[in-house]
Amino acid sequence: MNRGPTMVDVAEAASVSLKTVSRYINGATNIDPKLAERIREAVLALGYRRNLAAASIRPGWTSRMLGLIIGDLGNPYYSTLARGVEREVHERGYLLTTASSDENGQRHDELIDRMLEQRVDGLIIVPPYTGGRPWNELRPPLPPRVLVDRPAPEGDGYSVLADNARGAASATEVLLAEGATRIAFVGDSELISTMAERRQGYEEALLAAGLEVDLSLVDHGVHTDEQAAGAVQRLLDDHGADAIFAANNRAAIGALRAFRARGARVPLVGFDDFESAELTSPPTTVVSHDIAHMGAVAAGTLLTLLDGGVPAEQTTVLPVTLQRRGSELRVQ
Amino acid sequence: MNRGPTMVDVAEAASVSLKTVSRYINGATNIDPKLAERIREAVLALGYRRNLAAASIRPGWTSRMLGLIIGDLGNPYYSTLARGVEREVHERGYLLTTASSDENGQRHDELIDRMLEQRVDGLIIVPPYTGGRPWNELRPPLPPRVLVDRPAPEGDGYSVLADNARGAASATEVLLAEGATRIAFVGDSELISTMAERRQGYEEALLAAGLEVDLSLVDHGVHTDEQAAGAVQRLLDDHGADAIFAANNRAAIGALRAFRARGARVPLVGFDDFESAELTSPPTTVVSHDIAHMGAVAAGTLLTLLDGGVPAEQTTVLPVTLQRRGSELRVQ
DNA sequence: TTGTAGGCGTTATCAC
DNA sequence: GTGATAACGCCTACAA
């Protein structure tokens, strides 16, 4: 296997010592212009490229690679997040290695191990909902890391989150303002911290309006569009729901499917924007936040840590906004 | 900086030689069970993790990292592609480093350089439309690589493509079957090879139906939704278009916007599926292909190359399918 | 300003 | 079956 020219080859070709080539490659200034020119030519002639992997094992040097572990790169939510991270870290000269855990704890752990073996300088992680070993027991301890979209356990480490409770509350408030009194909550498992927070915001808004929480209107078992569609059908037909709070975008899309199937709709507000929320009829109102920005903030926090700095906050909570588009209205 | 325990540390702790630890870590079988157990304990106690970066500089060893360079990770098209690649390469034990070029030739080149310095074993690339240095002049030559969604220049290398011409032709044929005689083509620059191929398929279908190509019905200047919406308005108002072939999904979404704005629609077929094409009214008919599969095929081709094999074809053309949903019909 | 010697963590060679 | 020793490509003392 051809491993390409090394610094030694360049040094020989330029009739210079190894060290001088090293200096040249690393941009040192104190080099005789004559030698520099000879080296430059040799580099071009040989097609030399430095070997960062070799350089990185020297003391004081690092890989300048970061790892990003998310649930599923194919999910627009995560890919937007990844894009935000990527932009930030590339700007600072880091390479980003991305991997999907599929929300599988074991897979997640394997990916972390693999990245640590590759000696990434830091990690940005969206941990799976369940499974995976507890970090505090990890030997050796993880390198600098930042959690995204999930709270760090007991403040052990840094995390960046959206204001899920506030967002859910404002979604619920909008539906209440339309006169709804039986607002259904459709979402994924409560074990997912964001879901728990959204549920909490929903309840707080109901209670603040003097309404009781009717558990028959709460469905936490929705993992797919189809399940959501079925859930919404049931909530409307059997439990007298008069408005829907869809706690994630799969739930929202499912609700839209259910509306279409029965040829009638009720007021709807979703959480997390989706590509063509504006194209539905009526356009779908959602609580949304800037996911790419969340990624950028997480990356910024990690880079601060890597620079030896101390981020301003352990937990950064990012604001959410209500995108009013019409679907929250009773009449169109 | 703490660099973590090394094999030497483990060897000392286990009272074994360095080489034996190496054997153990690499899964060699011929080790005295007693020693193996001592090593196992030492590894656990010290929290040893092997350093793949160090291992990779040895002759005959590689980084087991691959690079993926795409246009924009935030674009669902690319992230789906990335996901397909990821799945395939992870299965084979490779780590994937992903980066977005933003269709910028210089940035693209820099990313390639960076990845080569990091010594990736191979590259999967979606080259930018314009700019970027010609590869054949690259010194040293690139490692094994596969192009996706863009043809390899002059058969120099491997590539995986969708059957753009055939897809565009069948889209056009469907609109013709509806009785349309002035089908507009709305798409991005012809410099993009996929666009050129789609344009070609469109023309072939028209000619086969005995129609002439009216250049006033062809708009190649559409880069965004908004531009597409404007273009469709003009084509309908000023040039008497009676059907729209939207040659990418931005164009399709723009056409839908235009329809909404004027309160009337004409038959429409898009190219490339989009998240909620089924949610529009009527649902949008598109020519689509399995992007994740395209990524997986590209990854498979690259892995074959890395294994020293010879892929079956230099250029793999993947089939496309027409997803009939209703928007191609004249009346709903 | 330049060069020499040594070590980073790992694996391969080849004796024992 | 095991272990000294020598690379791999690079960079940093330190000496010249």
Side-chain angles (χ1 to χ4, degrees):
Chain A
M1 183 184 305
N2 177 20
R3 321 201 80 237
T6 74
M7 270 194 184
V8 178
D9 301 325
V10 175
E12 281 176 6
S15 310
V16 179
S17 94
L18 173 59
K19 178 56 195 169
T20 309
V21 177
S22 173
R23 273 196 276 265
Y24 173 85
I25 295 293
N26 287 71
T29 52
N30 51 347
I31 297 179
D32 185 326
K34 279 203 179 75
L35 296 191
E37 178 56 20
R38 291 222 304 268
I39 296 174
R40 204 183 66 77
E41 284 168 4
V43 165
L44 247 52
L46 270 56
Y48 169 78
R49 242 190 270 269
R50 72 179 149 177
N51 184 336
L52 249 37
S56 73
I57 73 170
R58 307 276 358 267
W61 284 64
T62 69
S63 63
R64 293 198 73 85
M65 288 185 7
L66 300 180
L68 171 67
I69 301 182
I70 56 185
D72 177 8
L73 230 202
N75 177 328
Y77 183 88
Y78 285 117
S79 60
T80 304
L81 179 70
R83 181 54 159 134
V85 172
E86 193 193 63
R87 207 164 245 140
E88 193 79 10
V89 305
H90 279 173
E91 221 160 73
R92 302 276 289 271
Y94 284 83
L95 226 44
L96 185 70
T97 291
T98 309
S100 306
S101 71
D102 283 321
E103 298 295 348
N104 173 336
Q106 190 188 333
R107 173 134 197 65
H108 178 255
D109 289 345
E110 289 168 2
L111 288 169
I112 286 190
D113 282 340
R114 183 60 165 61
M115 289 191 177
L116 293 184
E117 289 183 349
Q118 203 70 245
R119 291 300 192 266
V120 296
D121 292 345
L123 288 167
I124 294 174
I125 307 181
V126 183
Y129 303 135
T130 60
R133 57 199 168 203
W135 299 3
N136 35 15
E137 294 175 11
L138 264 193
R139 294 293 320 268
L142 287 179
R145 65 193 176 277
V146 176
L147 260 57
V148 184
D149 205 31
R150 313 269 207 276
E154 319 226 344
D156 171 26
Y158 294 86
S159 62
V160 180
L161 308 167
D163 196 345
N164 290 294
R166 189 79 277 285
S170 58
T172 309
E173 285 158 10
V174 162
L175 293 169
L176 287 168
E178 274 306 300
T181 57
R182 295 188 57 74
I183 302 172
F185 176 103
V186 185
D188 209 324
S189 164
E190 261 185 302
L191 295 175
I192 305 172
S193 58
T194 53
M195 274 299 148
E197 288 165 28
R198 291 172 193 182
R199 162 78 180 279
Q200 191 195 328
Y202 158 82
E203 293 197 355
E204 283 171 2
L206 290 184
L207 295 175
L211 294 177
E212 287 187 0
V213 177
D214 182 345
L215 289 181
S216 73
L217 289 174
V218 174
D219 193 327
H220 267 295
V222 162
H223 309 305
T224 67
D225 303 6
E226 282 80 26
Q227 289 176 349
V232 169
Q233 288 275 16
R234 278 192 305 279
L235 289 162
L236 294 174
D237 292 343
D238 305 343
H239 300 289
D242 60 2
I244 305 284
F245 169 47
N248 65 18
N249 50 27
R250 288 188 300 281
I253 290 173
L256 292 169
R257 274 201 218 289
F259 292 169
R260 174 182 295 265
R262 58 198 335 260
R265 53 177 294 278
V266 298
L268 166 73
V269 176
F271 205 118
D272 286 339
D273 217 341
F274 52 99
E275 198 182 7
S276 48
E278 296 183 63
L279 294 175
T280 60
S281 40
T284 304
T285 292
V286 296
V287 174
S288 75
H289 64 289
D290 188 337
I291 309 167
H293 181 240
M294 185 161 79
V297 169
T301 304
L302 180 58
L303 291 167
T304 299
L305 284 171
L306 291 174
D307 286 349
V310 177
E313 332 214 331
Q314 285 247 115
T315 302
T316 309
V317 177
L318 266 28
V320 299
T321 30
L322 187 72
Q323 308 274 356
R324 277 180 175 267
R325 292 184 180 131
S327 70
E328 78 279 21
L329 301 177
R330 178 162 299 280
V331 290
Q332 304 176 36
Chain B
M1 185 184 306
N2 177 20
R3 319 200 83 235
T6 76
M7 270 194 185
V8 177
D9 300 326
V10 175
E12 281 177 6
S15 309
V16 180
S17 93
L18 172 59
K19 179 57 191 167
T20 309
V21 177
S22 173
R23 274 196 277 264
Y24 173 85
I25 295 293
N26 286 68
T29 53
N30 51 347
I31 297 180
D32 184 328
K34 280 204 179 73
L35 295 191
E37 178 56 20
R38 291 222 302 269
I39 295 174
R40 203 184 65 79
E41 284 168 5
V43 165
L44 247 52
L46 270 58
Y48 169 78
R49 242 190 270 269
R50 74 177 147 181
N51 184 335
L52 250 41
S56 74
I57 73 170
R58 305 288 344 270
W61 283 65
T62 68
S63 63
R64 293 199 71 85
M65 289 186 5
L66 300 180
L68 170 67
I69 301 182
I70 56 185
D72 176 7
L73 231 203
N75 178 329
Y77 183 88
Y78 286 118
S79 61
T80 304
L81 178 72
R83 181 55 161 134
V85 172
E86 192 194 65
R87 209 166 243 138
E88 194 80 9
V89 305
H90 279 173
E91 222 160 73
R92 302 277 287 271
Y94 284 83
L95 226 44
L96 185 69
T97 292
T98 309
S100 306
S101 71
D102 282 322
E103 297 295 348
N104 173 337
Q106 189 188 334
R107 173 132 198 67
H108 177 255
D109 290 344
E110 290 167 0
L111 288 170
I112 286 189
D113 282 341
R114 184 70 207 308
M115 289 190 177
L116 293 183
E117 289 182 350
Q118 203 71 243
R119 290 302 192 265
V120 296
D121 292 345
L123 287 168
I124 294 174
I125 306 181
V126 183
Y129 304 133
T130 60
R133 57 200 168 202
W135 300 4
N136 36 15
E137 295 175 10
L138 262 194
R139 292 297 319 273
L142 286 181
R145 65 192 177 279
V146 176
L147 260 57
V148 183
D149 204 31
R150 313 269 206 277
E154 319 224 342
D156 171 26
Y158 295 87
S159 61
V160 180
L161 307 166
D163 195 345
N164 290 294
R166 189 79 277 286
S170 57
T172 309
E173 285 158 10
V174 162
L175 293 169
L176 287 167
E178 274 304 300
T181 56
R182 295 188 55 74
I183 302 172
F185 177 102
V186 184
D188 208 325
S189 164
E190 261 185 304
L191 296 175
I192 304 172
S193 59
T194 52
M195 275 298 147
E197 289 165 29
R198 291 172 194 182
R199 163 76 181 278
Q200 189 195 328
Y202 158 82
E203 292 197 354
E204 283 170 4
L206 290 184
L207 296 174
L211 293 177
E212 288 188 357
V213 177
D214 181 344
L215 289 182
S216 73
L217 289 174
V218 173
D219 192 327
H220 267 296
V222 162
H223 308 305
T224 66
D225 304 6
E226 283 80 26
Q227 288 175 351
V232 169
Q233 288 276 18
R234 279 192 305 279
L235 289 161
L236 293 174
D237 291 342
D238 305 344
H239 301 289
D242 61 2
I244 305 285
F245 170 46
N248 64 19
N249 49 26
R250 288 189 300 280
I253 289 174
L256 291 169
R257 274 201 219 288
F259 292 170
R260 175 184 294 266
R262 57 198 336 261
R265 54 177 293 280
V266 298
L268 166 73
V269 176
F271 205 118
D272 287 338
D273 216 343
F274 52 99
E275 198 182 4
S276 47
E278 298 182 62
L279 293 176
T280 59
S281 40
T284 304
T285 291
V286 295
V287 174
S288 75
H289 64 289
D290 189 338
I291 308 166
H293 181 241
M294 186 161 79
V297 169
T301 304
L302 181 58
L303 291 167
T304 299
L305 285 170
L306 291 174
D307 286 349
V310 176
E313 332 212 332
Q314 285 247 115
T315 302
T316 309
V317 176
L318 266 26
V320 299
T321 31
L322 188 72
Q323 307 275 357
R324 275 180 176 267
R325 296 190 178 122
S327 70
E328 77 279 20
L329 302 177
R330 179 162 298 282
V331 289
Q332 306 177 34

